[in-house]
Protein backbone atom coordinates (compact mmCIF):
# COMPACT_ATOMS: atom_id res chain seq x y z
CA UNK A 1 0.00 0.00 0.00
CA UNK A 2 2.91 2.35 0.65
CA UNK A 3 4.33 1.73 -2.80
CA UNK A 4 1.14 2.96 -4.45
CA UNK A 5 0.35 5.71 -1.90
CA UNK A 6 -3.04 4.23 -1.08
CA UNK A 7 -4.79 6.33 1.57
CA UNK A 8 -5.83 4.50 4.72
CA UNK A 9 -8.38 5.22 7.40
CA UNK A 10 -9.00 3.48 10.70
CA UNK A 11 -12.33 3.17 12.50
CA UNK A 12 -12.05 2.32 16.17
CA UNK A 13 -15.27 0.58 17.07
CA UNK A 14 -16.96 -0.79 20.21
CA UNK A 15 -15.98 2.09 22.47
CA UNK A 16 -18.74 1.10 24.86
CA UNK A 17 -17.08 -2.25 25.70
CA UNK A 18 -15.12 -3.00 28.86
CA UNK A 19 -11.42 -2.11 28.55
CA UNK A 20 -11.96 0.15 25.53
CA UNK A 21 -8.87 2.27 24.88
CA UNK A 22 -9.11 4.30 21.67
CA UNK A 23 -5.52 5.43 21.69
CA UNK A 24 -3.93 1.98 21.90
CA UNK A 25 -4.66 1.12 18.23
CA UNK A 26 -3.37 4.54 17.17
CA UNK A 27 -0.14 3.99 19.11
CA UNK A 28 0.18 0.52 17.55
CA UNK A 29 -0.23 2.00 14.05
CA UNK A 30 2.50 4.53 14.87
CA UNK A 31 4.96 2.07 16.40
CA UNK A 32 4.33 -1.33 14.83
CA UNK A 33 3.33 -0.28 11.31
CA UNK A 34 5.59 2.81 11.30
CA UNK A 35 2.79 4.98 9.91
CA UNK A 36 1.94 8.47 11.07
CA UNK A 37 -1.49 8.22 12.70
CA UNK A 38 -3.51 10.67 14.74
CA UNK A 39 -7.07 10.67 16.05
CA UNK A 40 -9.72 12.89 14.49
CA UNK A 41 -12.04 12.38 17.44
CA UNK A 42 -11.77 11.99 21.19
CA UNK A 43 -14.37 9.93 23.05
CA UNK A 44 -16.60 11.51 25.67
CA UNK A 45 -16.52 8.82 28.32
CA UNK A 46 -15.47 5.19 27.94
CA UNK A 47 -17.11 1.83 28.43
CA UNK A 48 -20.52 2.31 30.12
CA UNK A 49 -20.19 6.10 30.15
CA UNK A 50 -19.38 6.48 26.43
CA UNK A 51 -21.97 8.83 24.97
CA UNK A 52 -20.32 10.92 22.27
CA UNK A 53 -17.16 12.22 20.65
CA UNK A 54 -15.33 15.51 20.28
CA UNK A 55 -14.51 16.30 16.65
CA UNK A 56 -10.92 17.55 16.71
CA UNK A 57 -11.22 19.41 13.41
CA UNK A 58 -14.19 21.57 14.47
CA UNK A 59 -13.65 21.21 18.25
CA UNK A 60 -17.33 20.48 18.81
CA UNK A 61 -18.97 17.73 20.84
CA UNK A 62 -21.23 15.29 18.97
CA UNK A 63 -23.81 13.08 20.63
CA UNK A 64 -26.00 10.39 19.07
CA UNK A 65 -29.54 10.56 20.42
CA UNK A 66 -32.73 8.74 19.62
CA UNK A 67 -33.62 5.06 19.84
CA UNK A 68 -31.05 3.99 17.26
CA UNK A 69 -28.68 6.94 17.52
CA UNK A 70 -30.11 8.41 14.34
CA UNK A 71 -30.18 11.99 15.65
CA UNK A 72 -26.74 13.58 15.75
CA UNK A 73 -26.61 16.55 18.10
CA UNK A 74 -23.63 18.88 17.77
CA UNK A 75 -22.77 21.22 20.61
CA UNK A 76 -20.12 23.93 20.80
CA UNK A 77 -19.53 23.16 24.48
CA UNK A 78 -16.92 20.43 25.09
CA UNK A 79 -17.31 18.65 28.45
CA UNK A 80 -14.72 19.77 31.02
CA UNK A 81 -13.45 16.25 31.66
CA UNK A 82 -12.22 15.85 28.04
CA UNK A 83 -11.31 19.46 27.20
CA UNK A 84 -7.59 19.09 27.95
CA UNK A 85 -7.35 15.72 26.17
CA UNK A 86 -9.10 17.21 23.14
CA UNK A 87 -6.60 20.10 23.04
CA UNK A 88 -3.66 17.68 23.27
CA UNK A 89 -5.00 15.37 20.59
CA UNK A 90 -5.84 18.28 18.27
CA UNK A 91 -2.27 19.53 18.61
CA UNK A 92 -1.07 16.01 17.72
CA UNK A 93 -3.42 15.93 14.70
CA UNK A 94 -2.11 19.29 13.48
CA UNK A 95 1.49 18.15 13.98
CA UNK A 96 0.84 14.93 12.06
CA UNK A 97 -0.80 16.78 9.17
CA UNK A 98 2.03 19.34 9.21
CA UNK A 99 4.49 16.50 8.56
CA UNK A 100 2.91 15.84 5.15
CA UNK A 101 1.42 19.17 4.05
CA UNK A 102 3.56 22.24 3.35
CA UNK A 103 0.93 24.89 4.16
CA UNK A 104 0.13 23.20 7.47
CA UNK A 105 3.86 22.90 8.20
CA UNK A 106 4.28 26.65 7.75
CA UNK A 107 1.38 27.35 10.11
CA UNK A 108 2.76 24.84 12.62
CA UNK A 109 6.24 26.38 12.54
CA UNK A 110 4.78 29.87 12.91
CA UNK A 111 2.78 28.54 15.89
CA UNK A 112 -0.49 29.64 14.31
CA UNK A 113 -3.76 27.79 14.80
CA UNK A 114 -5.12 26.51 11.45
CA UNK A 115 -8.73 27.15 10.55
CA UNK A 116 -11.22 24.37 9.93
CA UNK A 117 -11.02 25.05 6.19
CA UNK A 118 -7.22 24.82 6.21
CA UNK A 119 -7.33 21.50 8.02
CA UNK A 120 -9.88 20.11 5.59
CA UNK A 121 -7.96 21.46 2.57
CA UNK A 122 -4.70 19.70 3.47
CA UNK A 123 -3.66 17.14 0.86
CA UNK A 124 -6.03 14.18 1.42
CA UNK A 125 -3.92 11.58 -0.42
CA UNK A 126 -1.18 12.05 2.15
CA UNK A 127 -3.22 12.45 5.30
CA UNK A 128 -6.19 10.11 5.07
CA UNK A 129 -4.09 7.39 6.65
CA UNK A 130 -3.66 9.64 9.66
CA UNK A 131 -7.30 9.61 10.60
CA UNK A 132 -9.05 7.50 13.17
CA UNK A 133 -12.67 7.71 14.25
CA UNK A 134 -14.25 6.35 17.40
CA UNK A 135 -17.72 4.87 17.67
CA UNK A 136 -19.71 2.35 19.63
CA UNK A 137 -21.26 -0.82 18.24
CA UNK A 138 -22.38 -0.80 14.60
CA UNK A 139 -24.97 1.93 14.32
CA UNK A 140 -24.42 3.46 10.90
CA UNK A 141 -26.32 6.59 11.86
CA UNK A 142 -23.68 7.42 14.45
CA UNK A 143 -20.89 7.01 11.91
CA UNK A 144 -22.38 9.52 9.49
CA UNK A 145 -20.53 12.63 10.81
CA UNK A 146 -17.18 10.87 10.46
CA UNK A 147 -18.11 9.61 6.99
CA UNK A 148 -19.12 13.16 6.08
CA UNK A 149 -15.65 14.32 7.15
CA UNK A 150 -14.01 11.62 5.04
CA UNK A 151 -16.15 12.66 2.08
CA UNK A 152 -15.09 16.28 2.54
CA UNK A 153 -11.41 15.27 2.65
CA UNK A 154 -11.51 13.19 -0.53
CA UNK A 155 -13.95 15.29 -2.57
Amino acid sequence: MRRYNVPRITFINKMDRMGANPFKPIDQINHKLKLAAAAMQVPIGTEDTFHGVVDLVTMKAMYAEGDRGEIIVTKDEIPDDVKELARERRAKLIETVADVDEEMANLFLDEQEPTIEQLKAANPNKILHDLGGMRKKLKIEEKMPLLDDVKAWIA
Side-chain angles (χ1 to χ4, degrees):
M1 288 180 37
R2 283 185 195 180
R3 181 186 324 170
Y4 301 109
N5 293 324
V6 176
R8 298 171 284 278
I9 187 165
T10 304
F11 288 95
I12 300 169
N13 206 5
K14 300 181 181 167
M15 285 300 304
D16 57 342
R17 301 282 171 94
M18 185 170 48
N21 180 354
F23 304 113
K24 185 177 180 182
I26 294 169
D27 291 339
Q28 289 174 335
I29 291 168
N30 285 324
H31 294 91
K32 292 184 179 183
L33 298 179
K34 306 282 191 251
L35 296 171
M40 278 191 68
Q41 299 174 337
V42 171
I44 300 172
T46 56
E47 299 178 4
D48 298 5
T49 62
F50 180 79
H51 56 276
V53 294
V54 175
D55 183 338
L56 297 178
V57 175
T58 61
M59 288 303 281
K60 293 184 180 186
M62 294 188 297
Y63 303 94
E65 296 179 355
D67 294 337
R68 296 181 43 225
E70 67 274 7
I71 303 168
I72 305 299
V73 177
T74 304
K75 297 182 180 179
D76 290 336
E77 182 74 23
I78 298 173
D80 292 334
D81 57 332
V82 294
K83 226 177 235 186
E84 187 60 34
L85 179 62
R87 282 192 204 111
E88 290 172 15
R89 289 294 171 161
R90 186 169 201 268
K92 175 67 176 157
L93 173 65
I94 292 168
E95 181 182 343
T96 303
V97 174
D99 287 342
V100 295
D101 186 81
E102 189 174 332
E103 181 183 348
M104 291 297 292
N106 291 334
L107 289 171
F108 181 74
L109 292 174
D110 293 339
E111 297 181 2
Q112 295 178 357
E113 188 72 18
T115 65
I116 296 168
E117 291 77 24
Q118 288 171 321
L119 270 173
K120 288 183 177 183
N123 189 338
N125 289 330
K126 293 181 181 173
I127 59 175
L128 266 184
H129 68 275
D130 299 331
L131 312 181
M134 295 159 209
R135 293 288 182 227
K136 64 180 181 179
K137 297 192 181 170
L138 291 173
K139 296 179 182 175
I140 191 65
E141 294 86 359
E142 294 177 353
K143 292 179 178 66
M144 293 312 292
L146 182 62
L147 294 175
D148 290 341
D149 285 345
V150 171
K151 179 181 163 188
W153 285 66
I154 63 175

